[in-house]
Every structure is written in C-alpha cells, then in structure tokens.
Amino acid sequence: MFLRPFIAAAGLALALQSPAAPAGEIKQNPRVVVELFTSQGCSNCPAADAMFDELSKKSDVIGLAYHVDYWDYRGWPDTFGSEANSDRQRAYNTAWGSSRIFTPQMVVNGRDGVVASRKGEVGKAVDKAGLELEVTLTAEGDVLEISIPPNAGLEDAMVWLVSYLDRSDVKIERGENEGKTVTYSQIVFDRQVLGMWEPATGAHFKLPLEEVLVDPANGAVILVQQEQAGMPGRILSAASFLR
C-alpha cells in the first residue's frame, strides 16, 4: 500500500468515452466508520476480524481494515501488511497522547480507540458514534462522481480516496495462527488525497474508476477527515463504492 496525491483530470476524457460499466454497490450516509488495525500474526486478531466483518455488513457502518507489519518478525509476514498501515495506527495514538500500539485495535470515527476483540467496548463506541456530513456518490459508466455539501459549522478537512479488497481467505502457515484459514474483509490497499473540503464551498470530484479501484482492490471509500497537527483527527463523513 502507498499514499499519493490524486490528479482527477488525467484520463477523465477517455473514461467518459468508454463503454458503460456495470453499476456497483454504493453505501451512503453511514453513522459510523470503523478502522481495524489487525495482523495475520496476532493470535487475538481472528475473533476481531470476524466481528469487524459482521459490523461492516451493516447499512450504517463503513469498515476499513489496515493490516500492520510489526508482527511479521514472528515468522509469518502478513500478506496484506504494510509499514504505512502501522504508521497510520501510530499517528492516531500519537494524536491521543499515547505511546501504546497493539492489535487488534479499532478506531471509531477517528475519535475513539478500543480493543477490537472486546465486543462490549466496540459496541459502546459504535452505539454513541455519529457523523456530521453527507457524501453523495454517483457511478455512471466508468466515472464516479462525489459531492460533499458545505457546512459552516465545521472546520476544513481532507478528502481521501481509500481503495480496498472486499474479501479474501488466507491460509496461515506459520506464526501464532499457524494452520488457520482466516477470512479477511475490507482490506485497505491504497490511500490517495483527493483534495480539501471547505465549510463554505463543500467539495466535488469526478474520478475515472480505473484510478479509483487500484489493483487488486474492487471497492473504495471516500473519507472526509480532519487533521490534528498533521495527524489523523475526527472523521466527518464517508461513503463507499463496491464494484
């Protein structure tokens, strides 16, 4: 996984001329965004992965799973793990004034970090969560259109495009989960900055789907998130598209 700025103009004219693609599944106006930091090398993670999978299926929840790489030394390199994912988790914890990093951890709306294997903690954080903006997605042909309205009561935020793979079964051959086959969902592969959302003007983007769905991803989440001193802050809104 890597992080890069997005240039919407490139390839858009070609995308507009291409044959119509099948419509995808769109999830809009969720109440909660849950980010799971997990690892194939962590014995406590499979239960959290399963709970995250069920939670992500709810109509008012958008889930993103970030596989970290700091368990790889135990003998099984996570097939989806990356240093960038570990850095995102560290950035959250730094923003909260904590030096502790662990898996499985779930971050709810960019505000609350909980132990993802503790169902009660997760449920409590999810139940009290809410988002403050709406994101409208329209998929037509090979173009995804994104509209985010203004809201004078909020501060500036970044608009992110996060590409993910919706599902994969992995047979783990070494490490703490040796011999298990685990189903993973909403696996993040790529994060791109689309631009800024501003309270007075909102934001609007038209993106070619060939740029949205970075291989091997088949889905994408639009994330509107504030920053605190360059570190991730509260999430204001989100929407998802699945091919």
Side-chain angles (χ1 to χ4, degrees):
M1 190 198 83
F2 57 98
L3 185 156
R4 54 193 168 92
F6 189 91
I7 303 175
L12 182 55
L14 290 175
L16 288 168
Q17 297 172 13
S18 62
E25 176 187 334
I26 291 176
K27 185 184 287 190
Q28 299 182 131
N29 304 324
R31 188 174 54 83
V32 188
V33 175
V34 291
E35 297 175 280
L36 176 68
F37 293 93
T38 186
S39 173
Q40 294 169 11
C42 160
S43 62
N44 290 327
C45 286
D49 296 319
M51 185 164 57
F52 167 81
D53 182 46
E54 290 302 312
L55 192 58
S56 299
K57 291 175 182 176
K58 295 184 176 182
S59 61
D60 61 349
V61 177
I62 286 178
L64 291 168
Y66 293 87
H67 286 242
V68 300
D69 66 347
Y70 53 80
W71 281 93
D72 290 0
Y73 78 97
R74 298 297 295 269
W76 178 255
D78 192 303
T79 56
F80 307 124
S82 79
E83 184 178 4
N85 290 344
S86 302
D87 288 344
R88 180 166 177 80
Q89 186 183 20
R90 291 187 183 99
Y92 267 127
N93 285 276
T94 299
W96 298 331
S98 173
S99 59
R100 184 183 178 214
I101 185 170
F102 62 90
T103 56
Q105 183 180 38
M106 189 175 291
V107 177
V108 179
N109 285 356
R111 301 185 186 193
D112 297 316
V114 298
V115 179
S117 55
R118 296 177 182 171
K119 190 172 183 179
E121 285 188 21
V122 171
K124 188 179 295 185
V126 167
D127 287 346
K128 71 177 184 180
L131 296 174
E132 298 158 280
L133 276 177
E134 295 183 356
V135 175
T136 300
L137 300 184
T138 305
E140 187 169 344
D142 282 338
V143 175
L144 184 68
E145 187 169 358
I146 304 158
S147 295
I148 310 167
N151 186 321
L154 299 172
E155 297 181 356
D156 292 0
M158 301 295 294
V159 183
W160 292 88
L161 171 67
V162 185
S163 298
Y164 69 89
L165 177 65
D166 69 323
R167 186 163 296 267
S168 181
D169 295 328
V170 177
K171 183 178 179 181
I172 301 171
E173 298 177 357
R174 294 184 302 279
E176 292 190 359
N177 292 315
E178 181 178 357
K180 294 181 180 179
T181 297
V182 182
T183 298
Y184 296 101
S185 58
Q186 315 298 109
I187 308 152
V188 171
F189 274 92
D190 187 76
R191 299 178 68 245
Q192 306 176 44
V193 177
L194 295 183
M196 291 291 298
W197 173 85
E198 297 182 358
T201 59
H204 186 263
F205 306 91
K206 283 187 176 181
L207 312 177
L209 284 178
E210 64 183 9
E211 292 287 338
V212 170
L213 303 180
V214 176
D215 187 62
N218 62 346
V221 170
I222 306 302
L223 205 62
V224 185
Q225 186 167 24
Q226 294 178 332
E227 291 190 354
Q228 302 174 356
M231 289 174 284
R234 65 177 180 165
I235 294 171
L236 302 181
S237 187
S240 67
F241 172 82
L242 178 65
R243 172 75 83 174

